[in-house]
Amino acid sequence: MNLLRDVSLDALLAFAEFAEDGNFSRAALRLHLSQPALHAKVGKLGAAIGQPLYLRRGRGIEITAVGRRVQRLARELAATTTAFQDELLRKDAAQPVALAAGEGA
């Protein structure tokens, strides 16, 4: 397994949203996805990682220890990505515009 190659950020974030309350239907609504699409995304993520991310317990769902680690990774990646994007936007806005004309321009 190669996480960078085999797993998308979108799938990680979708799993993190599902893991919040362990409910596919509610998470799918929050993500504006169909429940089957979210279920497929989470299933592919679990297959890529090679370990179960959740277990069914009767009518309920329990997020496994590995699932909690994946959820934490997804949240950290989201926060880091948002901070990086904000930093880039601040730096771009702060850059002065330089206009030059002439032989050396």
Side-chain angles (χ1 to χ4, degrees):
M1 170 189 59
N2 181 328
L3 276 177
L4 290 175
R5 184 189 66 224
D6 299 337
V7 174
S8 73
L9 181 58
D10 181 57
L12 287 169
L13 295 176
F15 174 75
E17 190 65 36
F18 156 70
E20 285 297 316
D21 61 8
N23 186 289
F24 279 106
S25 297
R26 287 192 297 262
L29 283 172
R30 291 190 301 267
L31 293 167
H32 306 285
L33 292 173
S34 70
Q35 187 272 339
L38 177 59
H39 194 272
K41 221 179 257 251
V42 169
K44 287 179 185 176
L45 177 63
I49 290 175
Q51 295 188 44
L53 302 177
Y54 67 93
L55 300 171
R56 290 207 175 269
R57 299 277 188 221
R59 292 178 50 96
I61 289 178
E62 177 185 328
I63 306 301
T64 64
V66 170
R68 291 288 175 207
R69 291 178 68 195
V70 170
Q71 180 186 25
R72 194 168 37 254
L73 171 66
R75 294 297 186 211
E76 289 170 3
L77 286 171
T80 301
T81 302
T82 300
F84 179 70
Q85 180 180 343
D86 291 346
E87 180 184 320
L88 287 177
L89 291 174
R90 277 193 306 277
K91 284 189 177 190
D92 287 346
Q95 294 292 327
V97 176
L99 299 175
E103 206 171 296

